[in-house]
C-alpha cells in the first residue's frame, strides 16, 4: 500500500540505510525504492552521511580518565560474611588525600537500627569508619537485587552532616584540606547509604550531592512524566446514583497525543486523557441567554452509543458566556518564561517567543505585560508595560536567549509579586508560565511547590501553564501547577496550536467567567441500571464535595465549551460483565418512594455548580434530561464527533487488550461529525486516527 | 571504532576490561548530559562501575556496555534533575572537541571537515545529538538506544532520520 508512495521523510529510509529494519520491513523498503531512483539516491546519500558521521565522531577527542582501581577486591569481616569487590579505590583515594570515610551498608529489608561501627585501616589520620548492619545480606544476595533497585547510595557531604545522619561520632578531619560543604542532601531514612566526607579537592571535582540510589527515580524521570490515571469502570445506579466530578477545559493531552502520533509512535497510555481529547475541539453549543445572567448553560443530548448500540451515550455540553474583546476587563499579564538551557530547541524557546508575540497582538492597548524569566538567575526582563508600547515588549522577547539552569520557585515568586504590584481590581490578573516543566524547584519538593502555588492563587492572580517541547516534557508538573493555581494548562506543539489557544480562544484563555465548576449527575434507577463516566479519571469527586465550596475544581473561560460523556446501560439491558454485579442489599431498606410520576420518565439530572470568578458562594444550576430514544445516526454532528473522539481515546488507552472499537469505526463516526469545520481541526483528527491505525497495523 | 555488540566476552577480569574499553567514551557521553562537566561525568561513570561490581556476571554478560550506558544515563539525568543543571550540552563544547592541532595539507582538510561535521552535530536539538552519538559514535542499534534512552524504537528512528536530514541540508549549505 504505502510502499509505492514512500516519502523521503519516512524514517524507515534511514533505518533501512543503516540496516536497522527487520528482514520483512527491509524487503518492503527495498521494493519501494526499486522503481524509484530518487528514493534510491536518498538511501545512498543517507548511508554516505552515516559514514561521515562515524569517522568524524570516531576522531573526536576522548577525555582523560583516572583509572579506577577495582583490581583488588578487599574483604571486610562482616560477621561470617564478606563483601567482595569493594570499591577500594574510593577508600584508598580518599584516605590518601586525608579524610574521614564513613560507610554504612544496610540491607533493604532491615531498618537502620542496631548498626555497629568497625574501624578499618586506622593507620593514618583521619580515621575511616565502616558502619554496618550485622544482618546485612551477603554481597551475592545484594547483587541479586541490584538490577532492580538501587543498592547503595553514595552522598558526598560535609562530615558533620554525615555525623548527623548516622548518629555516629566521627572525629572531624584534621586535614586542613577539608572543604566547605557544597550542598548536602539528607538521604532518605532507611536507605542504605555510604556517606563519604570529601576533601576540598574532591568537593571541587564532584560539587554537590550525588545520589547513587534513586535509579528508579531517574528511570521515571529519564523520559517524559505522566501521572498514572486509573480508569474507572461501571457503576450501578442502585448503589451509586450520584456521579460527581470537576470540569476540565484543558486540551493539553490532545496536542501531546498528536505529537506522538506524528512522530510515528503511539502515545503512552497515561498521556491519553480522554476528556482533554474531547475538549480540544470547538462545539456549537448554545450559550446562556443574555438575560439569564448565568455564566454557563448545559446542552444535553442522548443517543445510542456507537460502539454498543444497546447502550445510551449522554453528552453534557457546557457553554460559558461569550465575551467580546471590548467587554473583556483590562488585563495585567506576567509572562513567566523558562529560558534555561533545556529550552534551547526549535520547538521550545523560539516557539514560546512566537506564541507570546501572538498573544500580545491580541491584547488591548490598555492591557499590561511584564516578562519574568527564570534560569540561573531569575530576573525581570521587562517591567509591567502597557501594550500600547508593544514594541518594547517584542524587543524584550527577542532579546531572550536560553542560558543557565532553571530555578522555578524563585521565578514564580517574582512573577506573582509583579502581578500583585500591578493588580487590576475587577480585571484579569494572570501569570502565564511557559516551560517544558522540567524545572528545578529549588530546595523544595513537588508538595512544597503545590503549597506555594496554592498560597499564590489566594492573591487573586490566576495561572496559565503552557507546556512546550518534548523529551523531558513534564505534563504532570504543569497540570499540578495549573490545578493548584486556579488555572488552565495547555500544550503547544506548533505555531498552529499557539494560534488556537492564544488567538482564537484568547478571551477564554484570559477571562474566567466561572470557577470551581463541578458537575453532579443523579441517575434515575427506573431508567438507568449502570453508567460510566468516560475520562475525567483524575477529576472525580466524592458526592459530598459537590456542595463544598472549599473543594477546588476547574475554571471556565469566556466562550469555552466543556464536554463530558456518560455511557449508560438502560434498565433491562444486558450488563457488560454480569459476573460483576452487586447483590441486592439486605439491610438497606429499598427506598419505597420511587420517583414520583412527575420525574419518573427522566433519565437523569445534571447539576452544575460554579463560583463567580474571584470566588464567592457557588450557584446551582440543574438540567434534567429525558431520553427521546434517538439513534446514533439521528444525533447531531457535534454529538457524533465527540463520540468519535471519545472512542479514539478509549481505543488508545485500551491497548493492547483493545476495546471492541476499531480505528476504522472511529474514522466513520468522526467523518459523520464533520459538517462545519472552521480551522480544519476535525479533519486533522481524522488524519490522526488514520496515523494511529497505520501504526498498529504495521 | 569500538563496537559494543551484544557479544562481548569478558573473560577473567571482565570489569577491568570493560573499564579499559569504555570508561573514557562513557565519560564523554555523560559529560554532554551533565552540562559538559567532566568531573561530574567522571563521578557518574565511576559509580556505574562501582555498581557493575555488584552485578552477578551472569546477569550482565552479553550486554555489559548497554548496561553501563543505561546506568550512566539514568544517573546523569538524576544529577541534572537534582541540581537543575539544565544547561544545554552543546554550550562551550565546540571549542573543546576541536582541539586538533594544525596539520599540513590533506590531513588538515580532513581534520577541518571532521570539525565542521562535529560542529553541525552540536547544533542539533539535544535529543537528536544524543541518539546520533549513541548510534554513530558508540555503535548501538536502534533497539539498544531505545532501551538506554527509554524512547520507543520508532521514536529513535524518527530522531535519527530528522537529524540526518538536517545534517545533509546543513552540509549542502556549506558547500562553496
Amino acid at each position: 500500500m504505502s510502499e509505492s508512495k514512500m516519502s523521503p521523510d519516512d524514517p524507515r529510509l534511514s533505518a533501512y540505510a543503516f540496516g536497522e529494519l527487520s528482514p520483512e520491513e527491509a524487503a518492503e523498503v527495498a521494493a519501494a525504492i526499486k522503481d524509484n531512483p530518487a528514493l534510491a539516491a536518498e538511501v545512498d546519500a543517507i548511508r554516505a552521511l552515516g559514514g561521515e558521521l562515524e569517522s568524524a565522531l570516531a576522531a573526536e577527542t576522548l577525555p582523560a580518565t583516572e583509572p579506577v582501581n577495582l583490581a583488588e577486591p578487599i574483604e571486610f569481616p562482616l560477621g561470617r560474611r564478606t563483601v567482595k569487590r569493594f570499591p577500594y579505590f574510593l577508600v584508598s583515594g580518599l584516605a590518601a588525600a586525608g579524610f574521614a570515610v564513613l560507610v554504612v551498608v544496610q540491607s533493604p529489608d532491615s531498618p537502620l537500627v542496631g548498626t555497629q561501627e568497625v574501624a578499618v585501616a586506622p593507620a593514618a589520620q583521619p580515621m575511616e569508619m565502616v558502619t554496618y548492619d550485622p544482618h546485612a545480606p551477603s554481597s551475592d544476595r545484594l547483587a541479586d537485587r541490584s538490577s532492580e533497585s538501587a543498592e547503595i547510595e553514595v552522598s558526598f557531604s560535609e562530615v558533620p552532616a554525615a555525623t548527623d545522619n548516622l548518629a555516629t561520632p566521627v572525629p572531624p578531619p584534621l586535614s586542613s584540606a577539608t572543604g566547605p560543604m557544597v550542598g548536602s542532601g539528607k538521604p532518605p531514612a532507611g536507605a542504605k547509604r555510604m556517606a563519604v566526607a570529601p576533601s576540598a579537592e574532591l568537593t571541587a571535582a564532584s560539587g554537590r550531592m550525588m545520589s547513587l540510589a534513586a535509579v528508579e527515580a531517574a528511570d521515571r524521570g529519564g523520559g517524559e512524566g505522566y501521572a498514572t490515571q486509573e480508569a474507572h469502570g461501571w457503576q450501578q445506579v442502585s448503589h451509586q446514583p450520584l456521579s460527581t466530578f470537576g470540569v476540565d477545559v484543558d486540551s493539553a493531552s490532545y496536542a501531546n497525543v498528536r505529537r506522538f502520533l506524528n512522530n510515528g509512535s503511539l502515545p503512552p497510555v497515561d498521556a491519553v486523557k480522554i476528556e482533554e481529547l474531547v475538549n480540544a475541539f470547538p462545539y456549537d453549543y448554545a450559550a446562556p441567554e443574555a438575560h439569564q445572567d448565568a455564566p454557563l448553560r448545559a446542552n444535553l443530548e442522548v443517543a445510542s452509543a456507537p460502539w454498543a448500540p444497546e447502550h445510551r451515550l449522554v453528552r453534557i455540553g457546557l457553554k460559558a458566556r461569550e465575551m467580546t474583546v471590548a467587554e473583556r476587563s483590562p488585563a495585567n499579564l506576567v509572562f513567566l518564561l523558562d529560558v534555561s538551557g533545556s529550552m534551547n530547541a526549535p520547538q521550545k524557546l523560539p516557539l514560546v517567543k512566537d506564541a507570546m508575540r501572538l498573544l500580545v497582538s491580541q491584547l488591548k492597548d490598555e492591557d499590561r505585560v511584564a516578562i519574568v524569566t527564570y534560569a540561573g538567575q531569575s530576573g525581570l526582563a521587562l517591567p509591567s508595560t502597557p501594550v500600547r508600547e508593544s514594541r518594547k515588549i517584542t524587543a524584550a522577547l527577542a532579546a531572550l536567549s536560553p542560558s543557565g539552569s532553571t530555578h522555578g520557585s524563585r521565578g514564580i515568586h517574582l512573577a506573582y509579586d509583579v502581578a500583585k504590584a500591578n493588580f487590576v481590581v475587577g480585571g484579569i490578573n494572570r501569570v502565564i508560565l511557559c516551560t517544558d516543566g522540567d524545572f528545578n524547584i529549588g530546595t523544595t519538593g513537588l508538595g512544597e511547590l503545590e503549597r506555594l502555588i496554592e498560597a499564590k492563587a489566594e492573591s487573586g492572580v490566576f495561572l496559565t501553564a503552557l507546556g512546550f517541547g518534548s523529551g523531558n516534557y513534564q505534563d504532570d508538573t504543569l497540570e499540578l501547577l495549573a490545578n493548584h493555581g486556579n488555572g488552565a494548562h495547555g500544550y503547544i506543539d506548533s505555531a498552529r496550536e499557539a494560534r488556537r489557544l492564544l488567538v482564537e480562544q484568547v478571551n477564554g484563555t484570559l477571562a474566567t467567567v466561572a470557577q470551581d465548576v463541578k458537575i453532579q449527575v443523579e441517575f434515575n434507577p427506573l431508567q438507568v441500571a449502570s453508567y460510566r463516566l468516560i475520562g475525567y479519571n483524575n477529576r472525580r469527586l466524592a458526592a459530598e464535595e459537590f456542595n463544598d465550596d472549599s473543594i477546588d475544581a476547574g475554571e471556565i473561560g469566556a466562550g469555552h465549551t466543556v464536554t463530558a460523556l456518560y455511557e449508560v446501560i438502560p434498565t433491562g439491558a444486558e450488563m457488560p460483565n454480569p459476573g460483576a454485579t452487586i447483590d441486592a442489599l439486605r439491610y438497606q431498606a429499598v427506598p419505597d418512594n420511587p420517583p414520583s410520576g412527575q420525574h419518573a420518565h427522566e433519565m437523569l439530572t445534571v447539576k452544575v455548580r460554579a463560583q463567580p470568578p474571584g470566588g464567592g458562594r457557588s450557584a446551582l444550576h440543574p438540567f434534567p434530561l429525558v431520553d427521546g430514544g434517538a439513534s446514533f445516526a439521528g444525533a447531531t454532528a457535534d454529538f457524533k464527533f465527540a463520540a468519535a473522539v471519545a472512542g479514539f481515546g478509549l481505543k488508545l488507552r485500551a491497548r493492547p487488550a483493545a476495546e471492541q472499537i476499531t480505528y476504522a469505526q472511529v474514522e466513520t463516526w468522526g467523518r459523520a461529525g464533520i459538517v462545519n469545520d472552521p480551522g480544519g481541526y476535525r479533519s486533522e483528527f481524522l488524519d490522526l486516527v488514520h496515523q494511529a491505525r497505520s501504526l498498529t497495523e504495521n | 571504532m569500538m563496537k559494543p555488540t551484544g557479544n562481548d566476552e569478558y573473560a577473567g577480569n571482565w570489569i577491568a576490561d570493560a573499564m579499559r574499553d569504555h570508561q573514557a567514551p562513557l565519560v564523554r557521553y555523560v559529560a554532554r548530559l551533565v552540562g559538559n562537566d567532566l568531573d561530574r561525568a567522571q563521578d557518574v561513570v565511576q559509580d556505574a562501575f562501582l555498581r557493575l561490581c555488584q552485578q552477578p556476571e551472569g546477569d550482565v554478560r552479553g550486554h555489559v556496555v548497554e548496561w553501563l550506558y543505561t546506568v550512566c544515563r539514568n544517573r546523569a539525568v538524576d544529577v541534572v534533575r537534582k541540581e537543575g543543571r539544565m544547561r544545554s550540552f552543546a554550550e562551550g563544547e565546540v571549542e573543546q572537541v576541536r582541539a586538533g592541532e594544525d596539520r599540513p595539507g590533506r590531513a588538515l582538510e580532513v581534520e577541518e571537515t571532521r570539525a565542521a561535521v562535529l560542529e553541525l552535530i552540536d547544533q542539533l536539538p539535544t535529543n537528536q545529538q544524543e541518539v546520533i552519538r549513541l548510534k554513530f559514535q558508540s555503535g548501538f542499534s536502534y533497539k539498544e538506544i531505545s532501551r538506554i534512552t527509554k524512547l520507543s524504537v520508532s521514536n529513535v528512528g524518527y530522531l535519527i532520520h530528522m537529524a540526518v536530514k538536517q545534517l545533509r541540508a546543513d552540509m549542502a549549505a556549506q558547500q562553496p
Side-chain angles (χ1 to χ4, degrees), chain A residues 573-644:
Chain A
E574 196 186 322
M575 300 298 281
N577 181 4
T581 54
I582 304 172
D583 294 328
L585 296 179
R586 188 176 169 90
Y587 303 111
Q588 305 303 316
V590 179
D592 40 346
N593 54 334
S596 63
Q598 193 189 347
H599 299 304
H601 65 294
E602 289 175 8
M603 182 185 210
L604 51 84
T605 295
V606 175
K607 296 182 285 179
V608 180
R609 211 174 242 298
Q611 291 178 33
R617 272 201 67 77
S618 65
L620 179 70
H621 312 270
F623 303 89
L625 172 69
V626 176
D627 186 354
S631 66
F632 184 68
T636 62
D638 273 350
F639 183 96
K640 288 175 187 164
F641 190 78

Side-chain angles (χ1 to χ4, degrees), chain A residues 185-524:
Chain A
K186 204 167 196 164
K192 288 186 316 302
R193 60 208 148 157
M194 186 172 77
V196 180
S199 71
E201 184 191 340
L202 188 68
T203 306
S206 58
R208 282 133 277 199
M209 166 170 168
M210 261 200 51
S211 167
L212 266 197
V215 169
E216 303 96 310
D219 278 349
R220 193 172 50 76
E224 308 185 356
Y226 301 99
T228 310
Q229 313 169 47
E230 195 74 34
H232 296 251
W234 292 95
Q235 300 287 340
Q236 286 186 40
V237 177
S238 54
H239 292 77
Q240 286 289 348
L242 293 174
S243 168
T244 312
F245 63 98
V247 303
D248 181 6
V249 295
D250 295 345
S251 56
S253 176
Y254 178 70
N256 203 20
V257 164
R258 174 173 62 201
R259 170 172 66 87
F260 275 104
L261 290 173
N262 285 339
N263 284 4
S265 60
L266 289 172
V269 167
D270 287 326
V272 180
K273 296 182 189 149
I274 299 178
E275 73 280 11
E276 295 192 8
L277 304 192
V278 174
N279 282 324
F281 299 92
Y283 298 96
D284 193 14
Y285 299 148
E289 309 269 355
H291 64 270
Q292 278 181 328
D293 201 35
L296 297 163
R297 175 164 174 178
N299 293 258
L300 308 181
E301 185 172 350
V302 54
S304 290
W307 51 81
E310 67 283 11
H311 295 175
R312 310 296 291 165
L313 192 64
V314 175
R315 192 237 23 232
I316 302 171
L318 291 188
K319 169 84 175 180
R321 185 158 48 85
E322 301 271 8
M323 201 180 267
T324 62
V325 177
E327 275 178 280
R328 172 168 74 61
S329 319
N332 154 38
L333 304 182
V334 179
F335 297 170
L336 174 55
L337 308 181
D338 180 349
V339 294
S340 62
S342 68
M343 294 291 286
N344 188 11
Q347 288 306 304
K348 294 189 180 177
L349 193 56
L351 187 54
V352 168
K353 292 183 183 184
D354 288 346
M356 292 305 105
R357 268 193 291 270
L358 267 180
L359 178 54
V360 170
S361 73
Q362 296 302 307
L363 297 177
K364 296 188 282 189
D365 276 359
E366 62 272 28
D367 295 337
R368 300 182 74 88
V369 167
I371 302 176
V372 171
T373 62
Y374 66 98
Q377 76 295 3
S378 307
L380 188 59
L382 177 76
S384 191
T385 306
V387 171
R388 178 175 316 111
E389 300 166 42
S390 65
R391 204 177 292 171
K392 275 191 193 164
I393 302 173
T394 43
L397 280 172
L400 300 174
S401 63
S403 65
S405 59
T406 313
H407 200 303
S409 60
R410 227 177 296 156
I412 289 172
H413 278 296
L414 182 56
Y416 275 92
D417 287 349
V418 173
K420 275 187 277 183
N422 297 281
F423 199 87
V424 180
V425 179
I428 295 165
N429 298 281
R430 192 174 278 274
V431 170
I432 297 178
L433 167 65
C434 298
T435 178
D436 55 12
D438 195 5
F439 53 69
N440 168 14
I441 43 183
T443 53
T444 59
L446 268 189
E448 205 133 326
L449 182 67
E450 199 176 299
R451 282 188 289 282
L452 168 67
I453 286 287
E454 244 165 23
K456 295 292 183 191
E458 280 170 17
S459 64
V461 176
F462 287 64
L463 177 75
T464 297
L466 299 176
F468 289 81
S470 59
N472 52 1
Y473 172 56
Q474 302 296 317
D475 179 71
D476 42 1
T477 310
L478 284 191
E479 189 173 17
L480 178 139
L481 285 175
N483 288 351
H484 289 273
N486 275 343
H489 103 287
Y491 176 74
I492 294 186
D493 60 343
S494 59
R496 179 188 160 99
E497 183 69 12
R499 175 160 286 281
R500 193 177 75 86
L501 274 178
L502 301 176
V503 177
E504 292 169 24
Q505 304 181 2
V506 63
N507 287 328
T509 301
L510 296 180
T512 302
V513 298
Q515 74 177 46
D516 292 337
V517 180
K518 301 171 201 166
I519 293 179
Q520 185 165 69
V521 180
E522 182 183 351
F523 291 90
N524 181 351

Side-chain angles (χ1 to χ4, degrees), chain B residues 145-160:
Chain B
I145 296 173
S146 152
R147 289 192 292 260
I148 291 169
T149 58
K150 314 283 186 291
L151 296 167
S152 70
V153 174
S154 60
N155 213 257
V156 170
Y158 173 81
L159 289 173
I160 288 183

